[in-house]
Amino acid sequence: MNKNRLLQLLMAHQDRPVSGQEISDDLQVSRTAVWKQIEELRKNGYEIEAASRRGYRLVRIPDRVGTEEIMLHLTTARLGRPIIYKDTVTSTQEIVREEAEKGAKEGLIAVANEQMQGRGRLGRVWQSRPEQGIWMSLLLRPQVPPRYAPQLTLLSAVALAEALDSYLPEPTTIKWPNDIRIHKRKVAGILTEMQADMDEVQTVIVGMGINVNQNDGDFTEELAEKAGSIRQYAGVRQSRPQVIASILKSYETWYNEYLTNGFGAVKAAWTAKADTLGSFIQVETSRQTVEGKALRITEEGALQVQRSDGNTQTVHSGEILDDPPSG
Ligand code: BTX
């Protein structure tokens, strides 16, 4: 039986009980099968009242990011299809990597309630505590040359930032290349991992970490000053499955635009949201620290910095240091 359809029915009638007969007619299954599914939902934390003769009424939806919960909200054609949900993982990047090696199609996502070894860029740690955030990875197989892969990082930032804006009282900004921020606090981060041969990208695994329902005190001391959550700015808890569906919708729209028309619109949207362009910055790369005015991003997603000697330097990967000296 389609569990999703049962949930949809219950959700559509939260104001009154739905009789077992009504459900079994709608789903074309026996009343015993309905009862079994109701029990299954209860095991997953759904509170469902059962009044004799009147039927079932959904009283409380658990805050789960499981497959069914996401499916209830999903409006995409390709992204988030299928969904792999695990309660605890090392990293959702690993789950998607394994699936990709087995030949999984573009659009697959892995979501976890908790990551024990959530990763940031350059070997850094991404704090991924249970219940509080969205820890998810998406498999893409774009047919583009490897040098364009950084464009996908910027595309991810635009798609994610726009989706989160609809939950926030004021718009997020983007710090190059991939921090989504509000009041300079990091609300979300993106890790793009690519496998490619000489001419073509094979797989891109986009890892997105979004702080959703953390409250003051939920971040470690190290992060307390620099991290933020949607809840801290929106003032209320958000439904994580709903936020996931919004992100995938926004992502699909931007990804289709990119595949059809190229990087132009993504670049413009990214530039409009960038909070560092035009200011004096220090960027730490693997070899040196580059200082100067952040000018623009290039067609390949790199950052151009005008140094004090007047020369322009293009930085492909690095970290903009916070609290730069003014000048
Ligand atoms: P990043 O290298 O830009 O950021 C990592 C840095 O951000 C850390 O060194 C720390 O200072 C800070 N940080 C760590 N955790 C958090 C947090 N929860 N909120 C705000 N700041 C934090 C960004 O890397 C890329 C993050 C991608 C995370 C996703 S989650 C799903 C997928 N699986 C996985 O292992 N990683 C990705």
PDB file of all heavy atoms in Angstrom, residues 91-93 115 117-121 124-127 135-137 178-179 186 189-191 207-209 211 219 222-223 226-227 319, ligand 1:
ATOM      1  N   SER A  91      28.959  10.142   7.110  1.00  0.00           N
ATOM      2  CA  SER A  91      28.729  11.346   6.309  1.00  0.00           C
ATOM      3  C   SER A  91      27.787  10.957   5.162  1.00  0.00           C
ATOM      4  O   SER A  91      27.977   9.894   4.558  1.00  0.00           O
ATOM      5  CB  SER A  91      30.055  11.854   5.757  1.00  0.00           C
ATOM      6  OG  SER A  91      29.837  12.687   4.636  1.00  0.00           O
ATOM      7  N   THR A  92      26.828  11.799   4.866  1.00  0.00           N
ATOM      8  CA  THR A  92      25.912  11.488   3.753  1.00  0.00           C
ATOM      9  C   THR A  92      26.670  11.468   2.422  1.00  0.00           C
ATOM     10  O   THR A  92      26.224  10.848   1.456  1.00  0.00           O
ATOM     11  CB  THR A  92      24.742  12.499   3.676  1.00  0.00           C
ATOM     12  OG1 THR A  92      25.283  13.828   3.676  1.00  0.00           O
ATOM     13  CG2 THR A  92      23.776  12.325   4.834  1.00  0.00           C
ATOM     14  N   GLN A  93      27.830  12.141   2.382  1.00  0.00           N
ATOM     15  CA  GLN A  93      28.648  12.110   1.153  1.00  0.00           C
ATOM     16  C   GLN A  93      29.032  10.669   0.831  1.00  0.00           C
ATOM     17  O   GLN A  93      29.055  10.270  -0.337  1.00  0.00           O
ATOM     18  CB  GLN A  93      29.929  12.939   1.336  1.00  0.00           C
ATOM     19  CG  GLN A  93      29.717  14.430   1.531  1.00  0.00           C
ATOM     20  CD  GLN A  93      29.209  15.142   0.285  1.00  0.00           C
ATOM     21  OE1 GLN A  93      28.007  15.372   0.140  1.00  0.00           O
ATOM     22  NE2 GLN A  93      30.098  15.497  -0.603  1.00  0.00           N
ATOM     23  N   GLN A 115      25.140  13.152  11.651  1.00  0.00           N
ATOM     24  CA  GLN A 115      26.387  12.679  11.040  1.00  0.00           C
ATOM     25  C   GLN A 115      27.461  12.606  12.114  1.00  0.00           C
ATOM     26  O   GLN A 115      27.659  13.570  12.852  1.00  0.00           O
ATOM     27  CB  GLN A 115      26.864  13.628   9.952  1.00  0.00           C
ATOM     28  CG  GLN A 115      25.924  13.739   8.770  1.00  0.00           C
ATOM     29  CD  GLN A 115      26.542  14.542   7.631  1.00  0.00           C
ATOM     30  OE1 GLN A 115      26.770  14.047   6.554  1.00  0.00           O
ATOM     31  NE2 GLN A 115      26.805  15.806   7.888  1.00  0.00           N
ATOM     32  N   GLN A 117      30.673  11.975  11.341  1.00  0.00           N
ATOM     33  CA  GLN A 117      31.891  12.586  10.786  1.00  0.00           C
ATOM     34  C   GLN A 117      31.538  13.525   9.650  1.00  0.00           C
ATOM     35  O   GLN A 117      32.002  13.357   8.515  1.00  0.00           O
ATOM     36  CB  GLN A 117      32.845  11.492  10.301  1.00  0.00           C
ATOM     37  CG  GLN A 117      33.504  10.744  11.434  1.00  0.00           C
ATOM     38  CD  GLN A 117      34.194   9.470  10.971  1.00  0.00           C
ATOM     39  OE1 GLN A 117      34.717   9.390   9.869  1.00  0.00           O
ATOM     40  NE2 GLN A 117      34.159   8.465  11.810  1.00  0.00           N
ATOM     41  N   GLY A 118      30.665  14.473   9.948  1.00  0.00           N
ATOM     42  CA  GLY A 118      30.278  15.466   8.946  1.00  0.00           C
ATOM     43  C   GLY A 118      31.511  16.250   8.510  1.00  0.00           C
ATOM     44  O   GLY A 118      32.319  16.641   9.353  1.00  0.00           O
ATOM     45  N   ARG A 119      31.641  16.449   7.205  1.00  0.00           N
ATOM     46  CA  ARG A 119      32.860  17.077   6.694  1.00  0.00           C
ATOM     47  C   ARG A 119      32.577  18.452   6.112  1.00  0.00           C
ATOM     48  O   ARG A 119      31.564  18.663   5.460  1.00  0.00           O
ATOM     49  CB  ARG A 119      33.443  16.256   5.542  1.00  0.00           C
ATOM     50  CG  ARG A 119      33.789  14.850   5.848  1.00  0.00           C
ATOM     51  CD  ARG A 119      34.832  14.374   4.834  1.00  0.00           C
ATOM     52  NE  ARG A 119      34.299  14.282   3.470  1.00  0.00           N
ATOM     53  CZ  ARG A 119      33.787  13.186   2.956  1.00  0.00           C
ATOM     54  NH1 ARG A 119      33.712  12.100   3.677  1.00  0.00           N
ATOM     55  NH2 ARG A 119      33.347  13.159   1.720  1.00  0.00           N
ATOM     56  N   GLY A 120      33.522  19.340   6.326  1.00  0.00           N
ATOM     57  CA  GLY A 120      33.524  20.610   5.609  1.00  0.00           C
ATOM     58  C   GLY A 120      34.573  20.518   4.513  1.00  0.00           C
ATOM     59  O   GLY A 120      35.030  19.425   4.172  1.00  0.00           O
ATOM     60  N   ARG A 121      34.968  21.656   3.977  1.00  0.00           N
ATOM     61  CA  ARG A 121      36.025  21.648   2.966  1.00  0.00           C
ATOM     62  C   ARG A 121      37.384  21.488   3.649  1.00  0.00           C
ATOM     63  O   ARG A 121      37.512  21.762   4.841  1.00  0.00           O
ATOM     64  CB  ARG A 121      36.001  22.961   2.177  1.00  0.00           C
ATOM     65  CG  ARG A 121      34.738  23.123   1.330  1.00  0.00           C
ATOM     66  CD  ARG A 121      34.745  24.456   0.631  1.00  0.00           C
ATOM     67  NE  ARG A 121      34.882  25.559   1.570  1.00  0.00           N
ATOM     68  CZ  ARG A 121      35.629  26.624   1.356  1.00  0.00           C
ATOM     69  NH1 ARG A 121      36.309  26.761   0.242  1.00  0.00           N
ATOM     70  NH2 ARG A 121      35.687  27.593   2.256  1.00  0.00           N
ATOM     71  N   ARG A 124      37.982  19.984   7.104  1.00  0.00           N
ATOM     72  CA  ARG A 124      37.391  20.556   8.316  1.00  0.00           C
ATOM     73  C   ARG A 124      36.171  19.750   8.766  1.00  0.00           C
ATOM     74  O   ARG A 124      35.613  18.971   8.009  1.00  0.00           O
ATOM     75  CB  ARG A 124      37.010  22.013   8.061  1.00  0.00           C
ATOM     76  CG  ARG A 124      38.241  22.902   7.973  1.00  0.00           C
ATOM     77  CD  ARG A 124      37.861  24.346   7.872  1.00  0.00           C
ATOM     78  NE  ARG A 124      37.306  24.656   6.561  1.00  0.00           N
ATOM     79  CZ  ARG A 124      37.789  25.601   5.746  1.00  0.00           C
ATOM     80  NH1 ARG A 124      38.810  26.326   6.115  1.00  0.00           N
ATOM     81  NH2 ARG A 124      37.226  25.821   4.589  1.00  0.00           N
ATOM     82  N   VAL A 125      35.773  19.985  10.000  1.00  0.00           N
ATOM     83  CA  VAL A 125      34.641  19.247  10.572  1.00  0.00           C
ATOM     84  C   VAL A 125      33.368  20.065  10.407  1.00  0.00           C
ATOM     85  O   VAL A 125      33.383  21.290  10.543  1.00  0.00           O
ATOM     86  CB  VAL A 125      34.894  19.000  12.089  1.00  0.00           C
ATOM     87  CG1 VAL A 125      33.661  18.439  12.772  1.00  0.00           C
ATOM     88  CG2 VAL A 125      36.083  18.060  12.270  1.00  0.00           C
ATOM     89  N   TRP A 126      32.259  19.375  10.078  1.00  0.00           N
ATOM     90  CA  TRP A 126      30.960  20.053  10.027  1.00  0.00           C
ATOM     91  C   TRP A 126      30.093  19.503  11.151  1.00  0.00           C
ATOM     92  O   TRP A 126      29.782  18.318  11.182  1.00  0.00           O
ATOM     93  CB  TRP A 126      30.271  19.839   8.676  1.00  0.00           C
ATOM     94  CG  TRP A 126      29.000  20.608   8.581  1.00  0.00           C
ATOM     95  CD1 TRP A 126      27.734  20.119   8.738  1.00  0.00           C
ATOM     96  CD2 TRP A 126      28.857  22.009   8.339  1.00  0.00           C
ATOM     97  NE1 TRP A 126      26.818  21.128   8.609  1.00  0.00           N
ATOM     98  CE2 TRP A 126      27.471  22.302   8.368  1.00  0.00           C
ATOM     99  CE3 TRP A 126      29.754  23.055   8.123  1.00  0.00           C
ATOM    100  CZ2 TRP A 126      26.974  23.594   8.171  1.00  0.00           C
ATOM    101  CZ3 TRP A 126      29.260  24.335   7.925  1.00  0.00           C
ATOM    102  CH2 TRP A 126      27.885  24.593   7.949  1.00  0.00           C
ATOM    103  N   GLN A 127      29.738  20.343  12.082  1.00  0.00           N
ATOM    104  CA  GLN A 127      28.935  19.895  13.222  1.00  0.00           C
ATOM    105  C   GLN A 127      27.525  19.523  12.755  1.00  0.00           C
ATOM    106  O   GLN A 127      26.803  20.369  12.228  1.00  0.00           O
ATOM    107  CB  GLN A 127      28.868  21.004  14.276  1.00  0.00           C
ATOM    108  CG  GLN A 127      28.369  20.497  15.603  1.00  0.00           C
ATOM    109  CD  GLN A 127      28.113  21.637  16.582  1.00  0.00           C
ATOM    110  OE1 GLN A 127      26.987  21.929  16.934  1.00  0.00           O
ATOM    111  NE2 GLN A 127      29.178  22.281  17.015  1.00  0.00           N
ATOM    112  N   TRP A 135      21.175  17.507   6.966  1.00  0.00           N
ATOM    113  CA  TRP A 135      22.470  17.027   6.505  1.00  0.00           C
ATOM    114  C   TRP A 135      22.170  16.162   5.299  1.00  0.00           C
ATOM    115  O   TRP A 135      21.624  15.076   5.435  1.00  0.00           O
ATOM    116  CB  TRP A 135      23.199  16.256   7.615  1.00  0.00           C
ATOM    117  CG  TRP A 135      22.965  16.794   9.015  1.00  0.00           C
ATOM    118  CD1 TRP A 135      22.484  16.100  10.084  1.00  0.00           C
ATOM    119  CD2 TRP A 135      23.193  18.136   9.498  1.00  0.00           C
ATOM    120  NE1 TRP A 135      22.400  16.915  11.187  1.00  0.00           N
ATOM    121  CE2 TRP A 135      22.821  18.173  10.853  1.00  0.00           C
ATOM    122  CE3 TRP A 135      23.670  19.327   8.918  1.00  0.00           C
ATOM    123  CZ2 TRP A 135      22.898  19.315  11.643  1.00  0.00           C
ATOM    124  CZ3 TRP A 135      23.746  20.476   9.698  1.00  0.00           C
ATOM    125  CH2 TRP A 135      23.373  20.462  11.030  1.00  0.00           C
ATOM    126  N   MET A 136      22.463  16.685   4.137  1.00  0.00           N
ATOM    127  CA  MET A 136      22.002  15.980   2.931  1.00  0.00           C
ATOM    128  C   MET A 136      22.997  16.108   1.791  1.00  0.00           C
ATOM    129  O   MET A 136      23.704  17.101   1.665  1.00  0.00           O
ATOM    130  CB  MET A 136      20.629  16.567   2.580  1.00  0.00           C
ATOM    131  CG  MET A 136      20.417  17.118   1.220  1.00  0.00           C
ATOM    132  SD  MET A 136      18.652  17.510   1.015  1.00  0.00           S
ATOM    133  CE  MET A 136      18.809  19.185   0.407  1.00  0.00           C
ATOM    134  N   SER A 137      23.062  15.057   0.961  1.00  0.00           N
ATOM    135  CA  SER A 137      23.942  15.077  -0.210  1.00  0.00           C
ATOM    136  C   SER A 137      23.138  14.710  -1.446  1.00  0.00           C
ATOM    137  O   SER A 137      22.245  13.872  -1.386  1.00  0.00           O
ATOM    138  CB  SER A 137      25.089  14.078  -0.048  1.00  0.00           C
ATOM    139  OG  SER A 137      25.843  14.388   1.096  1.00  0.00           O
ATOM    140  N   ASN A 178      31.086  29.561  -0.786  1.00  0.00           N
ATOM    141  CA  ASN A 178      29.910  28.732  -0.513  1.00  0.00           C
ATOM    142  C   ASN A 178      29.264  28.888   0.854  1.00  0.00           C
ATOM    143  O   ASN A 178      28.500  28.031   1.261  1.00  0.00           O
ATOM    144  CB  ASN A 178      30.286  27.252  -0.717  1.00  0.00           C
ATOM    145  CG  ASN A 178      31.300  26.796   0.318  1.00  0.00           C
ATOM    146  OD1 ASN A 178      31.786  27.628   1.084  1.00  0.00           O
ATOM    147  ND2 ASN A 178      31.608  25.531   0.373  1.00  0.00           N
ATOM    148  N   ASP A 179      29.577  29.929   1.589  1.00  0.00           N
ATOM    149  CA  ASP A 179      28.911  30.087   2.894  1.00  0.00           C
ATOM    150  C   ASP A 179      27.621  30.866   2.715  1.00  0.00           C
ATOM    151  O   ASP A 179      27.630  31.947   2.133  1.00  0.00           O
ATOM    152  CB  ASP A 179      29.764  30.925   3.858  1.00  0.00           C
ATOM    153  CG  ASP A 179      30.975  30.195   4.367  1.00  0.00           C
ATOM    154  OD1 ASP A 179      31.203  29.064   3.913  1.00  0.00           O
ATOM    155  OD2 ASP A 179      31.681  30.770   5.205  1.00  0.00           O
ATOM    156  N   LYS A 186      27.132  31.912   9.807  1.00  0.00           N
ATOM    157  CA  LYS A 186      26.973  30.843   8.807  1.00  0.00           C
ATOM    158  C   LYS A 186      25.754  29.993   9.144  1.00  0.00           C
ATOM    159  O   LYS A 186      25.701  29.336  10.177  1.00  0.00           O
ATOM    160  CB  LYS A 186      28.245  30.003   8.836  1.00  0.00           C
ATOM    161  CG  LYS A 186      28.433  29.075   7.698  1.00  0.00           C
ATOM    162  CD  LYS A 186      29.942  28.954   7.478  1.00  0.00           C
ATOM    163  CE  LYS A 186      30.418  27.636   6.993  1.00  0.00           C
ATOM    164  NZ  LYS A 186      31.888  27.674   6.848  1.00  0.00           N
ATOM    165  N   GLY A 189      26.374  25.521   4.803  1.00  0.00           N
ATOM    166  CA  GLY A 189      27.639  25.347   4.082  1.00  0.00           C
ATOM    167  C   GLY A 189      27.471  24.289   3.003  1.00  0.00           C
ATOM    168  O   GLY A 189      26.585  23.429   3.097  1.00  0.00           O
ATOM    169  N   ILE A 190      28.316  24.371   2.008  1.00  0.00           N
ATOM    170  CA  ILE A 190      28.213  23.446   0.864  1.00  0.00           C
ATOM    171  C   ILE A 190      29.588  22.830   0.587  1.00  0.00           C
ATOM    172  O   ILE A 190      30.593  23.540   0.563  1.00  0.00           O
ATOM    173  CB  ILE A 190      27.729  24.197  -0.394  1.00  0.00           C
ATOM    174  CG1 ILE A 190      26.337  24.786  -0.157  1.00  0.00           C
ATOM    175  CG2 ILE A 190      27.717  23.270  -1.614  1.00  0.00           C
ATOM    176  CD1 ILE A 190      26.002  25.917  -1.089  1.00  0.00           C
ATOM    177  N   LEU A 191      29.590  21.533   0.388  1.00  0.00           N
ATOM    178  CA  LEU A 191      30.816  20.824   0.037  1.00  0.00           C
ATOM    179  C   LEU A 191      30.583  20.141  -1.301  1.00  0.00           C
ATOM    180  O   LEU A 191      29.681  19.316  -1.429  1.00  0.00           O
ATOM    181  CB  LEU A 191      31.105  19.773   1.120  1.00  0.00           C
ATOM    182  CG  LEU A 191      32.224  18.776   0.853  1.00  0.00           C
ATOM    183  CD1 LEU A 191      33.587  19.479   0.865  1.00  0.00           C
ATOM    184  CD2 LEU A 191      32.214  17.673   1.916  1.00  0.00           C
ATOM    185  N   GLY A 207      27.190  18.278  -1.072  1.00  0.00           N
ATOM    186  CA  GLY A 207      26.780  18.109   0.322  1.00  0.00           C
ATOM    187  C   GLY A 207      26.297  19.442   0.866  1.00  0.00           C
ATOM    188  O   GLY A 207      26.965  20.461   0.715  1.00  0.00           O
ATOM    189  N   MET A 208      25.117  19.431   1.460  1.00  0.00           N
ATOM    190  CA  MET A 208      24.577  20.668   2.017  1.00  0.00           C
ATOM    191  C   MET A 208      24.288  20.470   3.498  1.00  0.00           C
ATOM    192  O   MET A 208      23.610  19.517   3.881  1.00  0.00           O
ATOM    193  CB  MET A 208      23.294  21.064   1.284  1.00  0.00           C
ATOM    194  CG  MET A 208      23.555  21.415  -0.176  1.00  0.00           C
ATOM    195  SD  MET A 208      22.043  21.821  -1.072  1.00  0.00           S
ATOM    196  CE  MET A 208      21.869  20.356  -2.068  1.00  0.00           C
ATOM    197  N   GLY A 209      24.812  21.360   4.297  1.00  0.00           N
ATOM    198  CA  GLY A 209      24.547  21.314   5.733  1.00  0.00           C
ATOM    199  C   GLY A 209      23.800  22.590   6.101  1.00  0.00           C
ATOM    200  O   GLY A 209      24.310  23.688   5.863  1.00  0.00           O
ATOM    201  N   ASN A 211      21.717  24.685   9.123  1.00  0.00           N
ATOM    202  CA  ASN A 211      21.309  24.800  10.529  1.00  0.00           C
ATOM    203  C   ASN A 211      19.867  25.275  10.552  1.00  0.00           C
ATOM    204  O   ASN A 211      19.568  26.388  10.136  1.00  0.00           O
ATOM    205  CB  ASN A 211      22.199  25.805  11.247  1.00  0.00           C
ATOM    206  CG  ASN A 211      23.653  25.371  11.250  1.00  0.00           C
ATOM    207  OD1 ASN A 211      23.943  24.185  11.344  1.00  0.00           O
ATOM    208  ND2 ASN A 211      24.554  26.327  11.120  1.00  0.00           N
ATOM    209  N   PHE A 219      25.049  25.311  19.732  1.00  0.00           N
ATOM    210  CA  PHE A 219      26.310  25.191  18.997  1.00  0.00           C
ATOM    211  C   PHE A 219      27.467  25.040  19.992  1.00  0.00           C
ATOM    212  O   PHE A 219      27.368  25.505  21.130  1.00  0.00           O
ATOM    213  CB  PHE A 219      26.559  26.438  18.140  1.00  0.00           C
ATOM    214  CG  PHE A 219      25.612  26.568  16.974  1.00  0.00           C
ATOM    215  CD1 PHE A 219      24.613  27.532  16.989  1.00  0.00           C
ATOM    216  CD2 PHE A 219      25.717  25.724  15.878  1.00  0.00           C
ATOM    217  CE1 PHE A 219      23.737  27.664  15.918  1.00  0.00           C
ATOM    218  CE2 PHE A 219      24.844  25.848  14.805  1.00  0.00           C
ATOM    219  CZ  PHE A 219      23.850  26.817  14.827  1.00  0.00           C
ATOM    220  N   GLU A 222      33.098  26.954  20.029  1.00  0.00           N
ATOM    221  CA  GLU A 222      33.855  27.435  18.865  1.00  0.00           C
ATOM    222  C   GLU A 222      32.918  28.070  17.835  1.00  0.00           C
ATOM    223  O   GLU A 222      33.261  29.038  17.176  1.00  0.00           O
ATOM    224  CB  GLU A 222      34.617  26.253  18.243  1.00  0.00           C
ATOM    225  CG  GLU A 222      35.537  26.647  17.091  1.00  0.00           C
ATOM    226  CD  GLU A 222      35.334  25.828  15.823  1.00  0.00           C
ATOM    227  OE1 GLU A 222      34.862  24.675  15.935  1.00  0.00           O
ATOM    228  OE2 GLU A 222      35.620  26.363  14.738  1.00  0.00           O
ATOM    229  N   LEU A 223      31.710  27.503  17.717  1.00  0.00           N
ATOM    230  CA  LEU A 223      30.799  27.981  16.673  1.00  0.00           C
ATOM    231  C   LEU A 223      29.831  29.058  17.151  1.00  0.00           C
ATOM    232  O   LEU A 223      29.233  29.763  16.334  1.00  0.00           O
ATOM    233  CB  LEU A 223      29.977  26.803  16.125  1.00  0.00           C
ATOM    234  CG  LEU A 223      30.726  25.746  15.344  1.00  0.00           C
ATOM    235  CD1 LEU A 223      29.759  24.713  14.804  1.00  0.00           C
ATOM    236  CD2 LEU A 223      31.486  26.392  14.190  1.00  0.00           C
ATOM    237  N   LYS A 226      30.058  32.289  15.401  1.00  0.00           N
ATOM    238  CA  LYS A 226      30.031  32.428  13.941  1.00  0.00           C
ATOM    239  C   LYS A 226      28.929  31.653  13.231  1.00  0.00           C
ATOM    240  O   LYS A 226      28.726  31.823  12.032  1.00  0.00           O
ATOM    241  CB  LYS A 226      31.395  32.104  13.327  1.00  0.00           C
ATOM    242  CG  LYS A 226      32.019  30.813  13.781  1.00  0.00           C
ATOM    243  CD  LYS A 226      33.417  30.701  13.159  1.00  0.00           C
ATOM    244  CE  LYS A 226      34.082  29.397  13.568  1.00  0.00           C
ATOM    245  NZ  LYS A 226      35.444  29.291  13.114  1.00  0.00           N
ATOM    246  N   ALA A 227      28.217  30.773  13.963  1.00  0.00           N
ATOM    247  CA  ALA A 227      27.152  30.007  13.310  1.00  0.00           C
ATOM    248  C   ALA A 227      25.783  30.565  13.696  1.00  0.00           C
ATOM    249  O   ALA A 227      25.631  31.188  14.749  1.00  0.00           O
ATOM    250  CB  ALA A 227      27.248  28.543  13.711  1.00  0.00           C
ATOM    251  N   GLU A 319      40.028  30.541   1.306  1.00  0.00           N
ATOM    252  CA  GLU A 319      39.102  30.924   2.376  1.00  0.00           C
ATOM    253  C   GLU A 319      39.258  32.417   2.631  1.00  0.00           C
ATOM    254  O   GLU A 319      40.370  32.892   2.875  1.00  0.00           O
ATOM    255  CB  GLU A 319      39.506  30.123   3.627  1.00  0.00           C
ATOM    256  CG  GLU A 319      38.687  30.371   4.850  1.00  0.00           C
ATOM    257  CD  GLU A 319      37.346  29.652   4.808  1.00  0.00           C
ATOM    258  OE1 GLU A 319      37.163  28.756   3.947  1.00  0.00           O
ATOM    259  OE2 GLU A 319      36.478  30.015   5.602  1.00  0.00           O
TER     260      GLU A 319
HETATM  261  P1  BTX B   1      33.581  24.780   5.279  1.00  0.00           P
HETATM  262  O1  BTX B   1      34.935  24.163   5.273  1.00  0.00           O
HETATM  263  O2  BTX B   1      33.338  25.976   4.450  1.00  0.00           O
HETATM  264  O3  BTX B   1      33.155  25.113   6.766  1.00  0.00           O
HETATM  265  C1  BTX B   1      33.611  24.364   7.861  1.00  0.00           C
HETATM  266  C2  BTX B   1      33.807  25.313   9.022  1.00  0.00           C
HETATM  267  O4  BTX B   1      32.545  25.880   9.394  1.00  0.00           O
HETATM  268  C3  BTX B   1      34.324  24.614  10.274  1.00  0.00           C
HETATM  269  O5  BTX B   1      35.725  24.653  10.343  1.00  0.00           O
HETATM  270  C4  BTX B   1      33.672  25.407  11.407  1.00  0.00           C
HETATM  271  O6  BTX B   1      34.423  26.566  11.708  1.00  0.00           O
HETATM  272  C5  BTX B   1      32.369  25.875  10.789  1.00  0.00           C
HETATM  273  N1  BTX B   1      31.251  24.963  11.107  1.00  0.00           N
HETATM  274  C6  BTX B   1      31.264  23.644  11.419  1.00  0.00           C
HETATM  275  N2  BTX B   1      30.033  23.171  11.609  1.00  0.00           N
HETATM  276  C7  BTX B   1      29.192  24.212  11.427  1.00  0.00           C
HETATM  277  C8  BTX B   1      27.785  24.368  11.485  1.00  0.00           C
HETATM  278  N3  BTX B   1      26.949  23.358  11.767  1.00  0.00           N
HETATM  279  N4  BTX B   1      27.281  25.608  11.236  1.00  0.00           N
HETATM  280  C9  BTX B   1      28.080  26.657  10.947  1.00  0.00           C
HETATM  281  N5  BTX B   1      29.411  26.570  10.871  1.00  0.00           N
HETATM  282  C10 BTX B   1      29.969  25.366  11.101  1.00  0.00           C
HETATM  283  C11 BTX B   1      31.262  23.841   4.609  1.00  0.00           C
HETATM  284  O7  BTX B   1      32.608  23.622   4.831  1.00  0.00           O
HETATM  285  C12 BTX B   1      30.646  22.608   3.981  1.00  0.00           C
HETATM  286  C13 BTX B   1      29.738  21.877   4.907  1.00  0.00           C
HETATM  287  C14 BTX B   1      29.014  20.758   4.218  1.00  0.00           C
HETATM  288  C15 BTX B   1      28.267  19.898   5.181  1.00  0.00           C
HETATM  289  C16 BTX B   1      27.442  18.877   4.486  1.00  0.00           C
HETATM  290  S1  BTX B   1      26.306  18.105   5.534  1.00  0.00           S
HETATM  291  C17 BTX B   1      25.937  16.922   4.374  1.00  0.00           C
HETATM  292  C18 BTX B   1      27.246  16.573   3.703  1.00  0.00           C
HETATM  293  N6  BTX B   1      27.937  15.534   4.423  1.00  0.00           N
HETATM  294  C19 BTX B   1      29.105  15.964   4.916  1.00  0.00           C
HETATM  295  O8  BTX B   1      29.903  15.250   5.567  1.00  0.00           O
HETATM  296  N7  BTX B   1      29.291  17.242   4.584  1.00  0.00           N
HETATM  297  C20 BTX B   1      28.190  17.761   3.800  1.00  0.00           C
END
